[in-house]
Amino acid sequence: MKDHDSRFRTGAVLAAVLLAPLPALADPAPFELTGPDLRIEVTRGQQTLPIAQVPSLAEGDKLSIHAALPENQRPDGGDDDGGQKFLLTSAFLRGATNPPPKDWVQTASTWKKKDKDKALSLTVPKGARQLVLLMVPDTGGAEGVLLDAVRGKPGEFVRASQDLNQASLDHSRLVAFMAAIKAQDNTAPEYLRTVAPVLARSLSIKLNDECLSRVVEMQASCLLQNRETLVLSDVHSSSLADTLTGTPTDLALQLSATREAGGGYYSAYIAVARDIAKIFGAFNNPQFNYLPTLAQRREETMSLLLNAAPSFQKPKSVMVAALPAVEADIPPQLRSTAKGPVCVARPGAVLGVEGAPLIYSTAFAHDMKVKLTNASGQTIDVPVIPRADQGGYRIAPEELPSAFAGSMRAQLHGTWGFAPFSGPDFLLQRPDGTAWKVAGEADALVIGRDNAVVLEGAAPSCVEDVLLRQGNGAPRPLDWKVQDGNRLAVTVPLKGVGPGEVRVEVRYQGAKGAETVMLRARAEASRIDGFELHAGDSQGVLTGQRLDQVQSLTLGEVEYRPDGLTREDAMDRLRLTAKPNEKAQTQAPEQGASGKAVVRLADGRSVTLPVRVGAPRPQAVLLNRTVYPGPATPGTRVLELGAGELLPDNGELVFSIKAAPDAGFDARDMIEVAGGEGRGTVRLSAGKGLTLESRQVLVARLKAADLPPGVFGPLRFRLVGGDMTGDWTPLTTLARLPRIENLACGNEEAKPCTLTGRDLFLIEAVAADAAFASPVAVPPGFTGSSLGVPRPAAGKLYLRLRDAPQTPVVLPQP
C-alpha cells in the first residue's frame, strides 16, 4: 500500500499543472503551495451564504472577510511581533478604462484585536463588476502603493480577476476528478473501468482510455498522470468569467502548441499564470512584486493556492486573489440523461443529468431536492446529492412513504447561489403491489415461433428479470424492454415445444420472489385467405397464415402441390403448382371461371375455398438478343465472349420479346430485369430503354452499368402490365471480366505461360482446351497480378469465369 501511495505522490509531482511567472521556456510549476485562508460570508437581503455557495456577487451584497491565519502565525496582539503581520486590501473594479474611486479600496490590519480593524466589512457598490483581494506583509506605505496600482491600471486587475476566477473553477473540476479516482482506487479499484468514463463525462475531463486496459493496480495512477492535459472547456464556467464588455475570457481554454505558449501543454492554468505574470510585471518594484493565487472554496473558507513561495523580504510578495464577479446569477441548463423511467425501488437511485460540471465540483448548486408528485396529486420533497461518479443526483437513501409508488413525476430543484434553480423533469417508478397482466389475449401464444407479448403492471423500469417456465422444465431468460412507461414488451420463444400452460415470471430489483403470469400456448391452425389463379397459368398463390400445414389444393380435377413458401408482413404466401398430368394440360383455367377449391392440411382437416380465375397475366417470349461489348481498356487484351450468351460488365444488351398469341403490347407495358431470385431489379419503360416496334414486338436496351451494384451472374426478365406481372424468364448472364494485360510464353514447350493483369480473382480456372481437360484452378480470393497457366493449344487459351462457369471465354494468343 505504501508503494501505491508513493505512485500517487510521484504522479502529482510530475504532473505539474501551472506555470509560475518565469521566462517563456521554463517548465510549468504547480499551484500546490498552501497559502493563507480567508473566511468569507455574503449577505443578500435577509439571507447569508458561505463563499463556497456564491457563484457571483450583486450590487448591495454585504461581505464579511476575515483572514483565518494559523495560531503560530497570528501576532499576539497589539504591535508585538508575535508573528507575520498581513495587510488585507480589497478593491472593487468597474472597468478597464474607469478607475475605481478611492473609497472602493479598503484595507484591514489582520493582527488587530478589534474586528472592525482586522476584518473587512464591504458592500458591493453600484457599478462594480469585479472584486480582488490583496494580502501583503505589513510594510510602511503599502496601502498607498496598492491604491495607486489598482487605480493606475484598473484594466490589468480586471483581466487578472477574470482569469483567476476561471482557473479556480477549472481547478475545482480537476480536484474533484482526482479525489474520486483516488477514492475508487482505495476501496474498489476493479470498478475504475466503469467509474472513470462516468467521472470524465460529468466533470468534462479528458480521459486516457489506454489506462483502463492496464492491470487494475496501475489504472488509477495512470489516470492521474499528466494532469495538465485533463481539463476540458466548460461553457458555463466560461460564462461566469465574462469580461466587462461581454467578451468571454478564453485564456483558460487555449491549446498551447508552442514552447512559448506553454511547452505544448494544454492547461486551464498555464495561460493564466503567464498572462498574469505579464500583467503584474509592470507593477513590480524593489519594494513589492505580485503573486497570483487560485482559490479553493469550502463552506465559508476560501483557501489560497500559490505557485511560488511568497517573499517576506524586499521585494515583498503581494498575494492576489479574485472573488466572484458582480453579475446576475445564471443557473446552468441541466439536461436529463435518463432514457426512460427511473426506478426508485431501492434507496440510492440516480437522476442522470449533464450540462454543468460545476454542480459536482462546487457548492454553487445547494439545497438540491427532487419534488415527487404521485397519481393522487400528493407531493413530497426528497433531498438529492450530486454524484459525479454516477453521472447525476442521487436520491437520499431514506425510504419513501408508501403513498409514493407506481409512476410519479419528479422535478429537480434547488438554489444556485441566491437564485432559485430548477432542473429537468423525470418519471420515477416504484412497485405498488399491482399484479402483472397480459395486454390482449392470454391464450394467443402459438407454438413453433417467437411470440410478442405485452404485459401491463406497475414500475416496469424496476424489473430485473423476466423468465419463462413450462411444466417442470428449467426457467429460460426472456428478452424484454420497457414500452410506453407502464408496459413490458416480452418475446416468448416457443420453437420446439408443445401446447400447454406457460408461466412468465417477472422479478423486481431487490425482491425475493417473482410474480407469475399464466399464459396458454396453442398450435395455430392454418388460416386460408384466398387463392390467386390466372387464366392459362399452371400455378397460383395461396395466402393466409400457417400455410406450412397445407399439403395440397384441388380445383376441379386438377391437383396443386406446394412449390415454395414465403412470409411477407405477417402473411404467408404459398406457391402451388399443378401436378403434371393429362388433366392439368387439358383443363387449363379460363378467365372468369369460378369454383370451390379444397385445401387439405397436414392434420387431416380440409378447408373449402371459393376461387375465381383472374385475367391472364402478361406473358412474352424472348425473340432475339445481341451483346455489344464495351470499349477495351487501354493496355488490356480483348476476350472472345461467344454468340451473345454473356453480357460483359461494360457492355450493352439489346433484346426483343414477342407477345403471347391473342395479346399485344402498348406504351404502358414495362420490362423488369433482375439478378437471381429477383434481386437488383431494373425497370425499362417506353422512352427509357424500351421501344415499341409493333403491337407484337418490344425491343429493349440494357446497359450493364445500369444494374445495381452487386448484381452479376444469371439475369432474368419479366413483362409488367398494369398491376400484374408475368413469369421470370432467363435472359443472359452478366459476367465481370478480368483485365488481361499480357500472356507471356517462353521458348521451352515444357514450361507454362504467365498470365498478367488485374482482377484475376474473377477467373475460376484456365485451360488449354474447351473441354477443360487439365485446368489450372485460381484460388478464391486471389489478389495477385500474375498466374501460371497452360500453353495455348491452337493459339487459344480458355477461361472459366466465376460469374459464368458454364460458358468459357477465349483469350486468343497474339
Side-chain angles (χ1 to χ4, degrees):
M1 191 66 183
K2 185 179 294 183
D3 291 341
H4 189 70
D5 290 340
S6 68
R7 286 199 299 271
F8 275 123
R9 290 193 294 272
T10 303
V13 173
L14 294 177
V17 295
L18 299 169
L19 292 180
L22 296 175
L25 295 181
D27 290 333
F31 275 76
E32 291 185 345
L33 295 177
T34 302
D37 290 345
L38 300 174
R39 296 192 182 278
I40 306 175
E41 292 183 333
V42 181
T43 301
R44 184 175 299 175
Q46 302 299 315
Q47 186 178 8
T48 298
L49 293 180
I51 189 61
Q53 295 181 359
V54 181
S56 57
L57 301 174
E59 293 180 3
D61 283 355
K62 299 183 182 301
L63 289 86
S64 174
I65 305 175
H66 296 257
L69 301 176
E71 292 290 340
N72 59 1
Q73 189 175 345
R74 291 200 299 263
D76 295 331
D79 295 327
D80 296 336
D81 291 335
Q84 178 62 54
K85 299 176 181 179
F86 279 96
L87 290 175
L88 177 60
T89 298
S90 64
F92 286 103
L93 306 167
R94 60 183 179 185
T97 61
N98 195 359
K102 291 183 178 180
D103 60 356
W104 281 21
V105 181
Q106 299 185 31
T107 301
S109 302
T110 60
W111 65 91
K112 297 295 185 179
K113 290 185 177 180
K114 296 182 179 180
D115 285 345
K116 68 181 184 67
D117 296 325
K118 70 178 182 180
L120 292 172
S121 295
L122 309 175
T123 300
V124 179
K126 184 177 181 180
R129 298 299 301 273
Q130 286 85 24
L131 173 59
V132 294
L133 299 178
L134 310 172
M135 289 191 70
V136 60
D138 181 35
T139 303
E143 296 181 41
V145 173
L146 297 180
L147 176 62
D148 291 343
V150 172
R151 299 189 73 243
K153 291 188 176 181
E156 311 294 5
F157 285 91
V158 168
R159 184 66 178 271
S161 171
Q162 294 164 346
D163 292 348
L164 289 175
N165 255 321
Q166 177 71 67
S168 296
L169 293 174
D170 290 338
H171 180 262
S172 70
R173 292 190 283 134
L174 179 60
V175 170
F177 177 77
M178 295 176 63
I181 290 294
K182 290 182 180 180
Q184 289 292 332
D185 180 69
N186 292 335
T187 58
E190 65 275 11
Y191 295 127
L192 272 181
R193 187 173 285 106
T194 301
V195 171
V198 179
L199 278 171
R201 287 193 300 270
S202 299
L203 294 165
S204 288
I205 295 294
K206 181 180 179 181
L207 184 66
N208 184 357
D209 294 330
E210 294 182 359
C211 294
L212 301 180
S213 63
R214 299 191 177 186
V215 296
V216 169
E217 291 76 9
M218 298 181 64
Q219 289 176 4
S221 58
C222 174
L223 288 170
L224 298 183
Q225 290 176 359
N226 301 319
R227 287 181 293 167
E228 71 277 359
T229 67
L230 297 179
V231 181
L232 301 177
S233 170
D234 168 31
V235 175
H236 187 78
S237 64
S238 299
S239 69
L240 296 178
D242 284 354
T243 63
L244 183 61
T245 61
T247 303
T249 300
D250 62 356
L251 281 180
L253 308 177
Q254 292 176 350
L255 176 64
S256 302
T258 65
R259 291 287 294 176
E260 292 75 16
Y265 296 114
Y266 172 75
S267 170
Y269 326 113
I270 292 173
V272 173
R274 289 193 180 282
D275 197 60
I276 292 176
K278 297 176 183 178
I279 291 174
F280 292 136
F283 298 112
N284 291 341
N285 56 55
Q287 189 175 7
F288 297 110
N289 64 19
Y290 290 80
L291 189 63
T293 68
L294 293 184
Q296 282 187 310
R297 304 191 225 173
R298 297 183 186 87
E299 299 296 334
E300 72 277 0
T301 300
M302 189 170 85
S303 301
L304 304 184
L305 296 177
L306 313 176
N307 74 326
S311 172
F312 299 98
Q313 297 177 347
K314 293 184 179 180
K316 295 183 179 181
S317 297
V318 180
M319 290 175 283
V320 183
L323 266 68
V326 183
E327 59 185 6
D329 285 337
I330 306 176
Q333 298 297 314
L334 291 180
R335 301 180 299 274
S336 168
T337 60
K339 297 181 179 179
V342 179
C343 176
V344 290
R346 292 182 289 191
V350 175
L351 306 179
V353 295
E354 64 181 7
L358 294 182
I359 65 173
Y360 302 110
S361 63
T362 71
F364 294 163
H366 55 94
D367 299 323
M368 296 300 295
K369 298 177 181 178
V370 61
K371 175 174 287 187
L372 305 182
T373 304
N374 64 11
S376 301
Q378 295 175 292
T379 62
I380 185 176
D381 278 332
V382 180
V384 292
I385 304 167
R387 290 293 299 268
D389 59 335
Q390 296 180 355
Y393 280 96
R394 182 172 180 174
I395 299 178
E398 292 82 4
E399 186 73 22
L400 295 176
S402 58
F404 289 84
S407 292
M408 300 167 282
R409 295 293 174 184
Q411 185 187 38
L412 190 65
H413 68 97
T415 305
W416 180 265
F418 290 95
F421 171 39
S422 295
D425 294 334
F426 298 86
L427 177 63
L428 307 188
Q429 291 185 339
R430 181 186 181 202
D432 61 2
T434 302
W436 287 93
K437 62 180 181 179
V438 179
E441 299 180 11
D443 60 351
L445 299 185
V446 178
I447 62 173
R449 63 176 62 180
D450 291 345
N451 295 262
V453 177
V454 177
L455 303 179
E456 289 182 344
S461 64
C462 297
V463 171
E464 190 169 60
D465 291 310
V466 181
L467 303 175
L468 173 68
R469 290 183 187 268
Q470 188 175 30
N472 297 323
R476 290 188 290 165
L478 299 180
D479 293 332
W480 57 275
K481 62 181 179 179
V482 178
Q483 185 182 79
D484 300 332
N486 65 341
R487 293 184 170 191
L488 286 181
V490 184
T491 300
V492 181
L494 293 179
K495 295 179 180 179
V497 301
E501 285 191 340
V502 173
R503 303 191 302 276
V504 175
E505 298 180 351
V506 180
R507 186 166 66 87
Y508 284 117
Q509 298 176 13
K512 295 181 179 179
E515 296 187 25
T516 300
V517 180
M518 300 299 297
L519 304 173
R520 178 172 293 278
R522 301 180 182 274
E524 182 186 30
S526 296
R527 189 193 77 200
I528 310 299
D529 293 338
F531 182 54
E532 182 182 355
L533 183 65
H534 293 274
D537 283 356
S538 61
Q539 62 180 23
V541 176
L542 189 67
T543 56
Q545 288 186 342
R546 289 304 308 270
L547 300 185
D548 56 316
Q549 298 184 29
V550 173
Q551 287 192 331
S552 67
L553 179 147
T554 302
L555 179 61
E557 297 187 31
V558 180
E559 182 180 358
Y560 295 82
R561 294 290 182 87
D563 189 26
L565 176 65
T566 59
R567 186 172 179 82
E568 300 176 5
D569 299 328
M571 176 70 70
D572 286 352
R573 296 178 60 85
L574 179 64
R575 185 172 66 249
L576 296 171
T577 301
K579 184 179 179 181
N581 54 37
E582 183 178 349
K583 293 179 180 179
Q585 296 175 359
T586 59
Q587 297 183 10
E590 297 182 358
Q591 180 178 349
S594 60
K596 295 287 186 179
V598 178
V599 181
R600 290 182 175 81
L601 305 179
D603 59 6
R605 292 178 297 168
S606 296
V607 178
T608 302
L609 178 71
V611 175
R612 184 177 181 84
V613 179
R617 292 187 302 126
Q619 300 291 346
V621 295
L622 184 63
L623 191 62
N624 203 347
R625 66 182 179 185
T626 303
V627 172
Y628 295 94
T633 304
T636 61
R637 302 279 297 279
V638 177
L639 297 175
E640 296 177 359
L641 305 181
E645 292 87 354
L646 298 183
L647 172 62
D649 52 3
N650 64 344
E652 181 181 32
L653 173 68
V654 178
F655 65 98
S656 58
I657 60 174
K658 184 177 180 180
D662 301 326
F665 299 126
D666 61 33
R668 294 171 298 177
D669 290 326
M670 293 177 285
I671 292 177
E672 286 184 343
V673 179
E677 300 181 3
R679 289 193 290 266
T681 302
V682 170
R683 179 168 285 191
L684 307 177
S685 59
K688 296 182 179 180
L690 207 59
T691 303
L692 184 64
E693 177 189 291
S694 66
R695 291 277 297 167
Q696 298 298 315
V697 177
L698 273 176
V699 179
R701 291 181 177 272
L702 174 69
K703 292 183 178 180
D706 293 338
L707 290 166
V711 174
F712 50 85
L715 299 181
R716 303 183 299 168
F717 81 94
R718 68 179 177 183
L719 186 62
V720 179
D723 58 355
M724 292 191 297
T725 59
D727 293 328
W728 286 110
T729 303
L731 178 60
T732 187
T733 299
L734 176 63
R736 297 167 296 172
L737 302 182
R739 304 313 187 233
I740 306 299
E741 296 173 352
N742 191 30
L743 176 62
C745 298
N747 295 327
E748 298 183 28
E749 293 291 334
K751 290 187 177 181
C753 300
T754 300
L755 185 70
T756 57
R758 292 170 293 165
D759 300 339
L760 300 183
F761 58 86
L762 296 174
I763 304 173
E764 183 178 274
V766 183
D769 60 288
F772 278 77
S774 300
V776 173
V778 180
F782 181 75
T783 58
S785 60
S786 63
L787 281 171
V789 298
R791 299 182 73 87
K796 294 183 179 180
L797 198 63
Y798 294 85
L799 309 181
R800 188 161 60 208
L801 303 180
R802 295 191 188 277
D803 295 345
Q806 305 302 322
T807 309
V809 300
V810 177
L811 174 65
Q813 190 175 17

